[in-house]
Amino acid sequence: MHEITDFMTRDHRSCDACLVAVEAAVEGGAWERAGTEFARFRDAMLNHFSVEESVLFPRFEERTGMYRGPTQVMRGEHVQMRQLLAAAETALAERDADDYMGNAETLLIMMQQHNVKEENVLYPMCDQHLADQLENLLPELRAQIDEHLTSPSR
Amino acid sequence: MQALLSFDQAPPFSAPIRFFVSAPLFAILAGLLMLWSGPDLFSSRWTPAALALTHLITAGFMLQVMLGAMFQILPVVAGANISRPLLIATVVHAAIALGALLLAAAFLSHQPLAFRLAVISLGSGLALFAGAAGHALYGVPSRNPTIVGLKLSLVGLSMTVGIGALLAIALDASLALPLLQLTSIHLGWGFVGWGMVLLAAVAFVVVPMFQMTPPYPPGVARHFCWSVLVLLSLWSVVELADWQWPAALLAGALVLAAAVFAAVTLHVQRRSKRARFDATQHYWRVAMLCALAACLLWFLASLLPTLAERPEWPLLCGVLVLSGGFMSVMIGMLYKIVPFLVWLHLQNLGGGRVMAPNMNKVIAGEQIDRQMRAHFVSLAVLLAAVAWPEWFTYPAGIALVVANSWLLRNLLAAVTFYQQHRSTIQGLAPAVATGR
């Protein structure tokens, strides 16, 4: 009953781990490594958004008829997080540790409150409404997320 | 389902911020009260000034921060929106602020009318909040420990205020009530049923997510809040019935539960993956250490009758729990919540065309660090004042005023930052900016 919630939540945690790796590199002044880790983090985030926006959300919207409901809110928050990712990337390119940390901290809180909403409200609703589609939906989600993990860069 | 559909509707900035900005004012008043009353305040926990001071911190500072935060977190963690948040926030804020002031005045003056007005003001404000929050939470499935904890903390808060109201009325009506036991029960529900349950419910989400720690052990997260509330209810009945041994055992179990929560939190936070140990994390660590110290002191007092007879130990416990524990966590959390809210609202106002400055620019880092040191100094001097009131009462009063004026300054800096950038955004993109 929680397959979607569990699977998507795991991907949230994996994005968190990528963010931590960048932070550790920036704090240690290892800018090269920070750049590589940031690319990984950014790609993981963008991939997660795109899986949701192209696979999960359309199925949910189609099934429930809620086009202007929670998925619309989540799409809006994805836009804000994309902007923060871009700001953090600029700060990193300029090797401005304070500016990077400020943008990363804002992104972290934005991400986490977004995750709480998804994990507590939206994913459980998906599990509830899309239970009969799990057989082909889960492999599709898995394929897109795993494809990203195995490809070195996008 | 209606609640779930609209979980984007974060309340307007001014709804939670008014509570946050008011909180330090009550702590400043508490400091001034200390200066006015002098060392006598610390002669026992029952002096009018000590009671007034306690309620300025609990019904003033803590209640303001906790209700302000609830307005913000209910939509996020539970998808539960309080309808007409600005109106409800305005009325609730005014009622509890007035209520806390009246309550402090009532303790100092011992005027029955002041007690009655305080009960009416606090009671109606809280009833309105509990009603609005209860309505928003109604029908939200209790999917995780945090939602359960938030619901239970509302029960804890209602019980605290209910028993408090009964006590306030009993004081002047000379009702034949067991006042000592009722006071203990009021205190138990306030500290544990409301404060600790709400803190734990929030910690289960906030600590792992923002401090990048492993999750709390599932057993602790799942069972903590409700088992504490069951223990608390049993203890209240036994305490009222005056069954001394069972009451002592149950009280011991409650204190042990608080100690376990603090210890587990410290353990989890030691495994934080964050590279920078910031002010919020310092605040959490000191708070949990103070909570553990208070629990240890409680156990020592119940084992050693010579210690239990001294008037200092309940005061020492009180300072550790209120200033060291609850205030520390709350200030630490405010330093995340307020800058993030400023960023979020500015970002929404900019509509993507104007990028809001990141949250670390909202309150200067060195101001946060200095305020934190001032708070820790005030905690140390307060503890010293309990032990040596003649020497340290006045320094403690000054320290409390300084630390909280600084907090107020930092929060107002955030509000000013928001207002300035809002004007800039409105100047740049008049079509986009329509926010409050």
Side-chain angles (χ1 to χ4, degrees), chain B residues 25-114:
Chain B
L25 293 172
F26 288 95
I28 293 171
L29 278 179
L32 293 175
L33 173 61
M34 223 179 268
L35 295 177
W36 175 72
S37 71
D40 286 350
L41 186 148
F42 288 108
S43 54
S44 112
R45 61 183 271 214
W46 302 105
T47 61
L51 289 167
L53 182 94
T54 307
H55 287 84
L56 281 171
I57 298 298
T58 52
F61 188 98
M62 282 172 60
L63 192 60
Q64 293 283 345
V65 176
M66 283 179 157
L67 293 195
M70 291 275 270
F71 270 94
Q72 202 58 44
I73 61 177
L74 281 176
V76 176
V77 300
N81 275 312
I82 290 178
S83 51
R84 312 189 68 183
L86 197 58
L87 175 69
I88 304 277
T90 307
V91 179
V92 170
H93 172 257
I96 63 166
L98 182 66
L101 290 175
L102 283 166
L103 190 57
F107 280 118
L108 291 173
S109 66
H110 217 83
Q111 284 291 323
L113 180 65

Side-chain angles (χ1 to χ4, degrees), chain B residues 340-399:
Chain B
F340 179 70
L341 287 181
V342 168
W343 176 84
L344 184 68
H345 286 276
L346 287 177
Q347 187 67 10
N348 287 339
L349 276 172
R353 287 188 241 175
V354 189
M355 190 74 189
N358 73 59
M359 57 181 270
N360 284 9
K361 298 199 167 130
V362 175
I363 306 174
E366 66 265 27
Q367 291 295 340
I368 292 180
D369 290 342
R370 284 182 198 151
Q371 190 282 330
M372 178 178 75
R373 283 195 283 272
H375 175 76
F376 292 154
V377 167
S378 85
L379 170 63
V381 188
L382 268 168
L383 290 171
V386 173
W388 302 284
E390 297 295 335
W391 286 66
F392 286 104
T393 299
Y394 294 107
I398 293 169

Side-chain angles (χ1 to χ4, degrees), chain A residues 13 16 19-20 23-24 27 66 68-71 73-74 80 83-84 87 97-99 101-103 105-106 108-110 112-113 115-122 124-125 128-129, chain B residues 1 4-8 75-79 143-144 146-147 205 208-212 273-276 278 336-337 340 343-344 347-348 351-353 355-361:
Chain A
R13 294 299 96 79
D16 292 352
L19 177 64
V20 167
E23 192 178 80
E27 191 69 13
M66 286 192 255
R68 306 188 69 76
T71 50
V73 181
M74 295 299 102
Q80 291 184 320
Q83 290 163 346
L84 280 168
D98 279 344
D99 203 35
M101 287 298 191
N103 280 303
E105 186 71 29
T106 316
L108 173 70
I109 298 192
M110 185 72 214
Q112 300 300 5
Q113 61 99 38
N115 292 354
V116 173
K117 292 180 196 169
E118 287 189 338
E119 291 165 24
N120 283 353
V121 184
L122 183 59
M125 285 170 88
Q128 188 191 339
H129 291 283
Chain B
M1 192 64 95
L4 301 179
L5 290 181
S6 50
F7 66 157
D8 63 318
V76 176
V77 300
R143 269 191 218 98
N144 62 38
T146 297
I147 300 179
V205 194
M209 287 201 145
F210 299 126
Q211 299 175 16
M212 300 282 191
K273 297 196 198 89
R274 298 304 301 274
R276 240 178 228 189
D278 65 10
K336 292 286 172 203
I337 299 173
F340 179 70
W343 176 84
L344 184 68
Q347 187 67 10
N348 287 339
R353 287 188 241 175
M355 190 74 189
N358 73 59
M359 57 181 270
N360 284 9
K361 298 199 167 130

Side-chain angles (χ1 to χ4, degrees), chain B residues 117-159:
Chain B
L117 290 174
V119 165
I120 291 170
S121 194
L122 273 174
S124 58
L126 285 165
L128 177 62
F129 177 81
H135 179 70
L137 277 167
Y138 183 76
V140 172
S142 297
R143 269 191 218 98
N144 62 38
T146 297
I147 300 179
V148 176
L150 289 176
K151 290 179 176 174
L152 292 177
S153 75
L154 278 180
V155 176
L157 176 58
S158 309
M159 282 293 286

Side-chain angles (χ1 to χ4, degrees), chain A residues 11-23 37 40-41 111, chain B residues 212 273:
Chain A
D11 198 42
H12 281 167
R13 294 299 96 79
S14 129
C15 291
D16 292 352
C18 293
L19 177 64
V20 167
V22 194
E23 192 178 80
E37 296 290 357
R40 242 166 48 151
F41 166 61
M111 260 164 85
Chain B
M212 300 282 191
K273 297 196 198 89

Side-chain angles (χ1 to χ4, degrees), chain B residues 312-354:
Chain B
E312 290 98 337
W313 88 265
L315 286 164
L316 217 49
C317 267
V319 171
L320 283 170
V321 170
L322 293 179
S323 170
F326 285 117
M327 280 181 78
S328 295
V329 168
M330 287 180 192
I331 300 171
M333 299 282 287
L334 283 178
Y335 284 140
K336 292 286 172 203
I337 299 173
V338 171
F340 179 70
L341 287 181
V342 168
W343 176 84
L344 184 68
H345 286 276
L346 287 177
Q347 187 67 10
N348 287 339
L349 276 172
R353 287 188 241 175
V354 189

